[in-house]
Amino acid sequence: MPLWWPLLLASLLFAIGVYAVLVRRNAVLVLMGVELMLNAVNINLVAFDAHLRDQLHGGQTFALFVIVIAAAEIGLALAIVLLVFRSHGHIDVDRLRSLADRDLDPSTSSGHRKLDRPEVRR
Amino acid sequence: MNALLLLLVLLPFASAGLTFFAGHRAEVATKGLSVGASGLGLALAAIVAFPRLGDAEPIGQVYASTSAAGPSIELSLYVDQLSAVMLLLAHSVAFLVQVYSLGYLGDDPRYPSYTALVAIFTGAMGVVVTADDLWLLLVGWELMGACSYFLIAHHWELPVARAGAVKAFLMTRTADLGLLFAIILLGIRFDSYRISTIMSGILEGGFARDELWVPAMLLTIAVIGKSAQFPLHTWLPDAMPGPTPISALIHAATMVAAGVFLVARTYPLFLSAPMALNLLAGVAALTMFLGALYALFSDDLKRVLAWSTVSQLAYMFGALAIGAYSAGILHLLAHGAFKALLFLAAGSVVHAVGSTSMSSMGSLREKLPDTFLTMTLGFGALAGVVPLVGFFTKDAVIGASLDAARDGRLVWPWLAWVLFVSAVVTALVTVAYCLRAWLLVFFGAPAPSAEPALTSEPAPRAEPVSLRDASSLGSSGQATEVAAIQESPWSMRAPLYLLAVPTAVGGLVVAYPDLLLGSEVEYEPLHPDVAVGMTILVALTAGVVVWAARRHARTPWRVPVIPHPQVDRVYDVALVRPVRRLASVVRAGDRDVIDAYANGAGSATRGLGWVLRLAQNGNVQGYLMVVVVGAAALAVAAGVLA
């Protein structure tokens, strides 16, 4: 099997992942994009491992590492998403603007806050 | 003895530190500390000074010295007859002033800092009179200037007090430059800063006449400023808004006396440079008459005394300028005693009346008997009435100036004649203004009870005292009105009587001057012809003044508005305004040039920050977009460049 097949697949997956991370508004779908990117890298690792016939199979080992880290990452991230949902009532990434640098003027900041959390805790 | 001497010099500073520390937290401790330390200082000064009087050998000690390049600067003290009498004078007046201040300013909210500054003032004078190193002397000299600034501005709520303090500080500081340059010149010339070394070098060195005129002239400038002589005399009367005990301290024992002391200390230098002595004699002749003239026409009691100080200091400088060393020193000591007495008594009057204007006084003879008695002695001594101390010393100065005018070699003969005539005329004017002030304060009709006119010093808490006195009297069963004029508390009267003793009988010293200053000094204390002549003239003047006072109801003569010599205006045009203009230029440069850069840096950073914060919009995906695009751009760039 030529090398460029898995590489093509990996770059397609990575591009889809980047697209999802950058564009999707749903936080869960953003996380799915992250997973896609991670797994695209995994494919790369495994493909090069096979292509280079590495005696120690470093590529496969790294892929396992990445899977473990991805599992941990998704666990943590889903917990964050859950908390965001509980506190904000939505998981729309576009509307989560609390980190924006804005004036300390109380009127404007309160306006933002209203935008941020329209309905807190039903 | 040397350890005691060091202790004596350091004691006032230590007590000032402790007083500052105790402050308002323990007011009784503050008062005890300040009075006790000054009493201890007086005792130490007596222990150190009395063995040095007369023909004793001076003691000197070098406690520490630097080993830097050039002549070494030393912490060295030196006490000879002159230092000994000055130590005694300064510490006794300081002690009496501290006791007096208990009554005068004891309830003042700024009493702790006041009394600490008085202690530092005394300590600085102690440093000046005992210093054997010129730099050490300069330290004490400048410390006195700073203390006088703080103490004159004691009532800093008053603009006039602030202005007087700034004026005193600036004028004396300007003149102090003379001392600084003189020190440097002497140090270069003699390769030592030790005064005793320099003076013995001058005595033995065989310098040509006027070879050392530059440092002598510079020193003359310094003492003219410090002792308020003619071109720089205006600060002393303007320093009157300070508390009266401070005036007593400044005028009698410390600040202005330091100028006379410096001339006496460096006397060999002046003797080797008669050019400086000519300057000193001319300044003295002019100043003594000018000061007396202004005392004659001043309505403010304290200003009368201030102008009289200017005039009497000129007597001392006149005596020193014509070579009558011991006459000048004795007049300094006598003046220290009676001027302290006069100022403290004036403070007692002001305390009772609540104003320093003589038009709000009058017929206080019965109401203030103790003050009347002591102040009469003081005025008598100032005027030179026969048995009092001022008579003898002033007679010595006038007699010496007559001798110098006849066959003196130090100053030009015509200048000595001018000095002699000025001294005689000034003595008569002195009689006139003393008598006028005495009559206005203690005799005549009581003052119309109008509100006090413009006064130079705020009435020192007239209400608390009269209230306290009233309550104590009321408790003993006597009804009294609150605003009655009463004699001061004992703490203010006791110093008056203590000072009255040397004022009355101090003249005996003139008969035996070698007891005090040693027998090396060639000196004829008594000039019988001058004494008799002056006594007759004084009596005549007194008669004329009394006749004038009887003829007019209240004041012996109308007070004309005499134009003050416009030295202040000259200073204003020549110094103050250029300095102000320069300051405004500097300020504009600071604001428009230097600040522009600083502000520009600030506003540029702010603008850049404003641009950058636009990116910080809280949208995480936007941030990520930047990251991805940036990474892609880097990757492309790397691919292209590689």
Side-chain angles (χ1 to χ4, degrees):
Chain A
M1 191 168 61
L3 181 62
W4 62 270
W5 286 6
L7 291 191
L8 181 65
L9 175 66
S11 34
L12 281 177
L13 279 176
F14 193 86
I16 292 168
V18 167
Y19 172 79
V21 166
L22 292 186
V23 176
R24 300 304 301 207
R25 297 169 65 193
N26 191 319
V28 175
L29 290 180
V30 171
L31 289 177
M32 287 172 69
V34 173
E35 289 303 308
L36 279 179
M37 288 196 290
L38 285 167
N39 283 305
V41 172
N42 280 347
I43 289 173
N44 257 3
L45 287 169
V46 175
F48 276 102
D49 183 78
H51 177 70
L52 298 173
R53 299 178 203 288
D54 185 15
Q55 293 294 313
L56 295 173
H57 296 296
Q60 294 181 27
T61 320
F62 272 125
L64 282 173
F65 262 93
V66 172
I67 288 168
V68 169
I69 291 170
E73 178 256 357
I74 200 73
L76 191 65
L78 281 175
I80 291 173
V81 168
L82 201 60
L83 284 176
V84 167
F85 182 76
R86 279 195 191 160
S87 64
H88 288 68
H90 63 85
I91 50 171
D92 187 346
V93 178
D94 272 2
R95 287 157 68 193
L96 294 171
R97 297 282 183 99
S98 320
L99 287 177
D101 179 36
R102 55 173 85 87
D103 287 323
L104 289 174
D105 191 359
S107 61
T108 58
S109 74
S110 71
H112 274 288
R113 204 152 284 145
K114 262 180 211 150
L115 248 180
D116 258 5
R117 28 167 109 170
E119 58 279 302
V120 183
R121 297 222 180 146
R122 279 165 236 179
Chain B
M1 187 56 94
N2 287 324
L4 273 185
L5 180 56
L6 190 63
L7 185 64
L8 169 65
V9 170
L10 295 180
L11 177 75
F13 299 106
S15 91
L18 285 175
T19 314
F20 271 130
F21 181 72
H24 285 293
R25 272 170 282 185
E27 302 217 339
V28 179
T30 305
K31 290 178 180 176
L33 257 177
S34 48
V35 176
S38 59
L40 185 60
L42 178 57
L44 278 176
I47 293 172
V48 170
F50 273 120
R52 301 273 81 75
L53 295 179
D55 283 330
E57 282 293 306
I59 56 167
Q61 174 81 10
V62 180
Y63 296 92
S65 85
T66 60
S67 53
S72 65
I73 298 171
E74 295 161 337
L75 173 59
S76 56
L77 301 180
Y78 176 81
V79 178
D80 57 0
Q81 288 87 348
L82 177 65
S83 300
V85 292
M86 292 300 292
L87 270 179
L88 279 178
L89 176 67
H91 279 276
S92 17
V93 172
F95 174 62
L96 294 176
V97 162
Q98 289 278 24
V99 173
Y100 184 88
S101 301
L102 281 183
Y104 193 83
L105 279 172
D107 300 334
D108 192 278
R110 291 181 210 132
Y111 177 78
S113 65
Y114 160 83
T115 185
L117 283 169
V118 169
I120 296 178
F121 211 142
T122 317
M125 186 65 183
V127 169
V128 167
V129 298
T130 54
D132 198 18
D133 189 273
L134 283 167
W135 293 107
L136 189 60
L137 187 141
L138 183 71
V139 168
W141 185 270
E142 299 292 356
L143 205 50
M144 270 199 291
C147 283
S148 72
Y149 167 77
F150 285 121
L151 287 169
I152 292 166
H154 179 78
H155 300 288
W156 44 253
E157 308 88 352
L158 303 175
V160 63
R162 293 196 298 269
V166 169
K167 189 173 182 180
F169 188 68
L170 286 183
M171 289 183 98
T172 51
R173 277 294 292 133
T174 310
D176 288 349
L177 285 179
L179 178 57
L180 181 66
F181 292 141
I183 289 176
I184 294 171
L185 283 179
L186 288 174
I188 292 173
R189 183 68 186 251
F190 291 92
D191 196 33
S192 166
Y193 290 121
R194 204 185 293 181
I195 299 172
S196 46
T197 310
I198 294 175
M199 291 309 137
S200 56
I202 291 174
L203 284 177
E204 297 159 7
F207 287 100
R209 186 181 167 101
D210 278 339
E211 190 179 341
L212 292 171
W213 67 275
V214 180
M217 288 295 231
L218 288 170
L219 281 181
T220 310
I221 292 169
V223 301
I224 282 174
K226 203 69 165 180
S227 295
Q229 296 300 294
F230 167 60
L232 298 169
H233 61 287
T234 54
W235 70 264
L236 196 58
D238 285 355
M240 282 300 105
T244 309
I246 284 312
S247 307
L249 195 62
I250 290 180
H251 288 240
T254 54
M255 182 97 171
V256 295
V260 183
F261 169 81
L262 184 62
V263 175
R265 176 65 112 190
T266 56
Y267 208 50
L269 174 64
F270 280 90
L271 289 181
S272 80
M275 192 185 287
L277 288 181
N278 278 326
L279 174 66
L280 205 56
V283 165
L286 184 56
T287 312
M288 65 173 75
F289 182 66
L290 208 62
L293 197 62
Y294 284 103
L296 194 59
F297 295 117
S298 177
D299 180 55
D300 188 303
L301 179 59
K302 286 183 70 182
R303 274 182 180 264
V304 169
L305 297 180
W307 282 120
S308 81
T309 304
V310 172
S311 169
Q312 297 300 310
L313 285 165
Y315 269 101
M316 300 165 209
F317 283 123
L320 290 173
I322 53 177
Y325 173 82
S326 47
I329 299 304
L330 287 177
H331 195 54
L332 173 63
L333 297 176
H335 176 259
F338 68 69
K339 188 50 65 69
L341 170 63
L342 276 174
F343 262 113
L344 294 184
S348 174
V349 171
V350 172
H351 191 268
V353 175
S355 162
T356 60
S357 167
M358 287 197 289
S359 57
S360 59
M361 300 168 189
S363 128
L364 294 172
R365 189 173 63 246
E366 289 97 5
K367 289 173 187 161
L368 305 173
D370 298 317
T371 310
F372 170 66
L373 180 62
T374 50
M375 201 163 186
T376 303
L377 282 173
F379 272 134
L382 175 58
V385 175
V386 164
L388 304 174
V389 66
F391 167 76
F392 292 100
T393 55
K394 201 179 285 184
D395 168 54
V397 173
I398 294 175
S401 67
L402 182 59
D403 289 347
R406 280 186 186 140
D407 48 16
R409 288 182 296 108
L410 275 172
V411 296
W412 300 315
W414 67 266
L415 196 54
W417 277 113
V418 168
L419 187 67
F420 170 69
V421 172
S422 177
V424 172
V425 173
T426 305
L428 301 183
V429 179
T430 307
V431 174
Y433 70 72
C434 287
L435 204 53
R436 167 173 174 262
W438 189 63
L439 290 172
L440 279 179
V441 172
F442 292 110
F443 290 86
S449 63
E451 72 276 12
L454 192 68
T455 63
S456 68
E457 188 195 347
R461 329 150 284 104
E463 283 140 315
V465 168
S466 47
L467 283 175
R468 189 183 58 207
D469 290 355
S471 64
S472 64
L473 285 173
S475 65
S476 64
Q478 295 175 6
T480 174
E481 46 178 332
V482 171
I485 292 174
Q486 289 163 348
E487 188 61 279
S488 324
W490 67 268
S491 60
M492 288 169 62
R493 271 178 286 163
L496 294 183
Y497 278 110
L498 286 175
L499 280 169
V501 173
T503 304
V505 301
L508 293 178
V509 173
V510 178
Y512 304 99
D514 49 348
L515 281 184
L516 214 56
L517 293 175
S519 54
E520 300 169 16
V521 188
E522 292 175 28
Y523 181 62
E524 292 174 37
L526 289 171
H527 302 75
D529 47 342
V530 175
V532 172
M534 284 309 296
T535 305
I536 292 171
L537 284 174
V538 163
L540 283 177
T541 315
V544 169
V545 173
V546 171
W547 172 78
R550 294 226 164 180
R551 197 150 156 255
H552 304 85
R554 183 164 158 69
T555 174
W557 49 82
R558 287 188 303 114
V559 176
V561 179
I562 40 175
H564 193 276
Q566 300 290 312
V567 284
D568 271 353
R569 175 159 308 173
V570 170
Y571 294 142
D572 192 42
V573 171
L575 289 174
V576 176
R577 284 191 207 160
V579 167
R580 276 181 189 273
R581 217 162 289 144
L582 190 64
S584 70
V585 167
V586 169
R587 177 164 162 265
D590 187 53
R591 188 187 50 206
D592 299 338
V593 179
I594 297 176
D595 272 9
Y597 285 110
N599 291 341
S603 55
T605 312
R606 176 180 286 264
L608 197 60
W610 181 81
V611 170
L612 285 179
R613 84 187 276 205
L614 288 182
Q616 190 80 4
N617 58 2
N619 185 351
V620 185
Q621 286 174 320
Y623 305 162
L624 280 176
M625 181 69 89
V626 173
V627 171
V628 168
V629 170
L634 277 180
V636 169
V640 168
L641 293 179

